[in-house]
Amino acid sequence: MSLAIECRQLTKTWPGNPPVEAVRGVNLQVERGTCFGVLGPNGAGKTTTIEICEGLVQATSGDAYVLGKNWATQADEIRQEIGISLQETRLSEKLTVLETLTLFRSFYRSGMNPEDAIAKVSLQEKSNARIKSLSGGQRQRVAVATALVGNPRLLFLDEPTTGLDPQSRRDLWRIITEFREAGGTVLLTTHYMDEAERLCDKVAIFDRGRILAIDTPQKLISDLGAEHVVVFTVSGESAAALQDDFGISLPGVISVRIESEHRCLSVREPHIAIPALLALINERSLRLTSLTTRQATLEDVFVHYAGHRLTDENSGAVR
Amino acid sequence: MSSSWKMHPVTQLFLARFREFIRQPEAVFWSYVFPLVMMIALGLAFRSEPMEAISIVVQDGGGAELLAETLRGSKSLIVSSGTELQCRQQLRAGQSELIVVAETNNSAAGYRFVFDPTRPGSIHARDVVNDVLQRAAGRQDPLKTTDVAIAEPGSRYIDFLVPGLIGMGLMGGGVWGVGYAIVDMRIRQVLKRFMGTPMKKPHFVAAMMFSRMIFMIPEIIVVLLVSRFLFGVINHGSYLNVMLLIVLGAFEFAGIGLLIASRAKTLEAVSGLMNLAMVPMWIGSGIFFSAKRFPEFVQPLIGLLPLTPLISALRQVMQEGAGTIAILPEIAVISVWGVLTFAVAIRIFRWE
């Protein structure tokens, strides 16, 4: 069975002064019937990559095949089979939900009834309401419905839940999961690690136009070698003078990093590392002001690869 | 099958445009009421009175009272009086066309006319006042003349104005309606979203064009009806020719709107470009006064502006009853503009 998406050595350089290398050699393969997550901070090249796959942006070099077809020669056939939701589309506020979906349905040779698309995103009672009167979460569901109305085999969602409240995010997760369970393929970008862990069979971590790692979320976490994170803060006279890698030499500690005032230790066995840490703090006459432990997440994976937190927005490239 | 017709992308895109338009009361107001207000205001301001009295002013001084009394004997004059300063002010403000001063410093009676020779009304006033004074002083005209008054249909200013306003409405509606809507959709990323669907670009462009043509029809009907019942403006030509010109004009200016909006990324940019395109036509294409008033050497240029042939053809049809053959040259220029702007716009159009 052919792949849903295959990218080979994709690059994209936006002309300008200086030119911006948004994508610098991306290879990725998305299997049919899976949900693939593209993670990374703003400016990592996620949107550019997804828009190349959507046929909206032309790659500077490299190939992108979608559903076994080539954008150069079979663009219209690909468009009949994909559904997309852009990062930011403001649909016409004067139209109703049903009118909007009927419009989008008219572009496709085949697809579902506009009413069915509305039902898929649970907006039946808003069918005749104007877009203007909808909340942010409801608008996003309409946007996803416009992607579903052509009965696509492949769904592209660019940051579908950014800026939404928790309930709206869960609503969208349900829609995405249902689509995938019905055999559809999903490519989504997000910068929420929890979203990726929950929805995606596989994720690619992007940073500065490159892929740092591709695998299942579980594999990426276990590959860290440290599935737990110990987060603590200390105070005391010598606290300010502590070195950044304080704690690195303790038993079972894989790596150390600082997140604002917190120090985070990635550890394999917390029951060995924590007593050793407490002893060290005592020895240096420091005072422990907080201590928590948690499971390692994709965020720790990202930090491990990229060396900085996902919420940092200081990377160089543009969206 | 009616459902396949209803689900055609052009129908749906047209319906979307149509709904957006009618659900925006202010847009409807401006496109339908503004041309009417303009027509009524100008029609009233420049109405042709059968006999218009001329306002003149007599400057105070020796002999002024006698002079004023002589002039008041004429029905075609409205006479006031004032000091030199007041007289000058009245002249400047356009309240009087002419200052008449009785000469007192020599023995023979004489009068001085003070006026601006570039004002046609003032020259006319001078001649009328001169006649009145000369006859009062005993002049006998050697020739006998008779006046016969006739009314040439379609020769009033309002008859001239209505085709101009229809042309202006077509221009504004097309350029604003299409240009603004497209840039707005570009900003909202709707164009880009459409590009992610199998929607065909010609379908989109055709829908924009049809919606323009359809929106224009009620606007023009209202202008024609109101001008008919309020000012008695009559179309001396065939309504089919008027319709043909309106459809062609809507097409032409939809093309120009599309071209103006083909690359603009902000509403400010597109507004600037639209004004840049429209100002020469507001002034030069003969909406309010004949384009023939401009010097000879700019006439070829003015004739090629998109609006000039449209207004000129509308006037030929409505005022003179011209047939289709007579307006073929204008139709050709309008069509070339329409086709050319569409072709260029589609080529350089920025969808994202």
Side-chain angles (χ1 to χ4, degrees), chain B residues 57-96:
Chain B
V57 60
V58 173
Q59 187 176 314
D60 293 346
E65 273 177 45
L66 189 65
L67 171 60
E69 211 174 293
T70 312
L71 291 173
R72 277 193 189 104
S74 165
K75 275 180 224 152
S76 52
L77 295 175
I78 297 169
V79 184
S80 58
S81 60
T83 63
E84 185 175 359
L85 199 72
Q86 289 165 333
C87 290
R88 291 292 172 111
Q89 195 177 358
Q90 285 206 21
L91 196 64
R92 264 202 311 277
Q95 290 161 333
S96 293

Side-chain angles (χ1 to χ4, degrees), chain B residues 63-277:
Chain B
E65 273 177 45
L66 189 65
L67 171 60
E69 211 174 293
T70 312
L71 291 173
R72 277 193 189 104
S74 165
K75 275 180 224 152
S76 52
L77 295 175
I78 297 169
V79 184
S80 58
S81 60
T83 63
E84 185 175 359
L85 199 72
Q86 289 165 333
C87 290
R88 291 292 172 111
Q89 195 177 358
Q90 285 206 21
L91 196 64
R92 264 202 311 277
Q95 290 161 333
S96 293
E97 298 285 0
L98 181 75
I99 305 172
V100 188
V101 189
E103 301 274 26
T104 49
N105 54 354
N106 44 15
S107 47
Y111 303 102
R112 188 150 38 103
F113 299 132
V114 181
F115 64 101
D116 179 348
T118 63
R119 278 166 56 175
S122 296
I123 293 170
H124 178 53
R126 183 213 167 274
D127 291 346
V128 172
V129 170
N130 189 40
D131 272 359
V132 170
L133 292 175
Q134 299 290 2
R135 282 195 192 125
R139 185 180 80 183
Q140 292 291 323
D141 293 331
L143 291 177
K144 186 173 158 43
T145 56
T146 331
D147 296 341
V148 180
I150 57 154
E152 194 69 47
S155 61
R156 298 164 305 161
Y157 180 65
I158 189 78
D159 298 308
F160 175 86
L161 182 68
V162 167
L165 288 179
I166 292 175
M168 188 180 75
L170 284 166
M171 173 172 78
V175 171
W176 274 101
V178 175
Y180 199 85
I182 284 185
V183 174
D184 180 53
M185 284 196 245
R186 184 175 293 127
I187 292 169
R188 290 189 289 121
Q189 299 230 34
V190 169
L191 290 182
K192 186 174 174 181
R193 178 66 187 85
F194 284 166
M195 280 300 95
T197 73
M199 184 195 79
K200 297 190 175 50
K201 295 172 187 179
H203 285 166
F204 176 81
V205 171
M208 290 303 283
M209 209 172 74
F210 287 145
S211 54
R212 236 16 267 172
M213 290 176 177
I214 301 294
F215 298 164
M216 270 338 276
I217 291 169
E219 178 179 334
I220 308 269
I221 289 174
V222 168
V223 168
L224 287 175
L225 281 178
V226 173
S227 67
R228 173 83 187 250
F229 289 113
L230 211 59
F231 298 109
V233 174
I234 291 164
N235 173 20
H236 293 274
S238 122
Y239 277 100
L240 272 178
N241 280 332
V242 173
M243 227 40 230
L244 172 73
L245 286 169
I246 287 166
V247 168
L248 277 174
F251 166 70
E252 179 189 31
F253 286 108
I256 291 171
L258 194 70
L259 181 64
I260 290 172
S262 58
R263 299 194 71 79
K265 283 188 209 162
T266 64
L267 291 177
E268 289 78 7
V270 81
S271 305
L273 286 172
M274 288 193 291
N275 281 324
L276 187 69

Side-chain angles (χ1 to χ4, degrees), chain A residues 26-236:
Chain A
V26 162
N27 292 299
L28 66 84
Q29 300 188 327
V30 177
E31 280 163 38
R32 293 194 188 217
T34 64
C35 179
F36 192 95
V38 172
L39 311 187
N42 291 336
K46 304 189 301 280
T47 293
T48 306
T49 304
I50 196 172
E51 287 186 353
I52 292 171
C53 296
E54 289 165 346
L56 294 174
V57 168
Q58 195 141 27
T60 306
S61 68
D63 296 304
Y65 297 93
V66 173
L67 300 166
K69 298 188 177 82
N70 189 337
W71 271 113
T73 55
Q74 295 162 291
D76 190 58
E77 286 164 57
I78 299 176
R79 288 202 178 98
Q80 294 284 357
E81 293 187 294
I82 64 172
I84 72 178
S85 161
L86 298 175
Q87 202 172 90
E88 213 184 325
T89 303
R90 281 177 290 138
L91 295 166
S92 183
E93 301 207 326
K94 309 272 177 210
L95 300 183
T96 68
V97 173
L98 182 60
E99 286 162 356
T100 303
L101 283 153
T102 310
L103 172 65
F104 274 86
R105 173 63 185 85
S106 77
F107 300 149
Y108 295 87
R109 270 200 301 268
S110 63
M112 59 179 84
N113 277 331
E115 290 85 357
D116 295 342
I118 294 169
K120 282 239 188 277
V121 298
S122 314
L123 280 175
Q124 293 95 323
E125 74 279 17
K126 292 284 178 187
S127 191
N128 290 313
R130 299 209 185 155
I131 304 280
K132 188 182 184 153
S133 68
L134 302 185
S135 70
Q138 290 168 333
R139 284 176 198 221
Q140 190 58 34
R141 271 143 71 191
V142 175
V144 172
T146 65
L148 292 173
V149 76
N151 238 343
R153 292 157 69 189
L154 171 58
L155 196 57
F156 291 97
L157 303 170
D158 197 356
E159 298 194 5
T161 64
T162 297
L164 297 188
D165 60 88
Q167 183 56 46
S168 299
R169 290 181 72 199
R170 271 191 292 277
D171 289 342
L172 271 168
W173 290 350
R174 179 188 53 74
I175 296 163
I176 295 166
T177 308
E178 280 174 12
F179 177 79
R180 199 178 81 55
E181 281 169 357
T185 311
V186 182
L187 177 65
L188 65 85
T189 73
T190 182
H191 48 224
Y192 299 123
M193 296 296 127
D194 56 335
E195 185 164 295
E197 270 186 71
R198 185 159 182 150
L199 293 176
C200 299
D201 302 298
K202 238 178 188 186
V203 297
I205 295 179
F206 271 59
D207 193 43
R208 300 172 200 216
R210 289 203 177 82
I211 293 180
L212 302 178
I214 297 191
D215 219 317
T216 63
Q218 297 71 28
K219 185 78 170 31
L220 285 172
I221 292 165
S222 65
D223 278 358
L224 279 180
E227 288 174 33
H228 299 271
V229 180
V230 175
V231 184
F232 67 97
T233 54
V234 290
S235 62

Side-chain angles (χ1 to χ4, degrees), chain B residues 263-329:
Chain B
R263 299 194 71 79
K265 283 188 209 162
T266 64
L267 291 177
E268 289 78 7
V270 81
S271 305
L273 286 172
M274 288 193 291
N275 281 324
L276 187 69
M278 288 196 289
V279 164
M281 291 188 261
W282 276 326
I283 299 167
S285 287
I287 299 171
F288 302 108
F289 55 88
S290 171
K292 294 275 180 288
R293 286 202 182 195
F294 288 102
E296 202 56 46
F297 70 95
V298 292
Q299 286 299 331
L301 212 67
I302 284 179
L304 286 178
L305 287 174
L307 185 59
T308 319
L310 179 63
I311 291 182
S312 155
L314 278 169
R315 283 199 180 121
Q316 288 176 50
V317 172
M318 291 181 63
Q319 286 185 276
E320 295 158 28
T324 319
I325 308 284
I327 53 170
L328 276 181

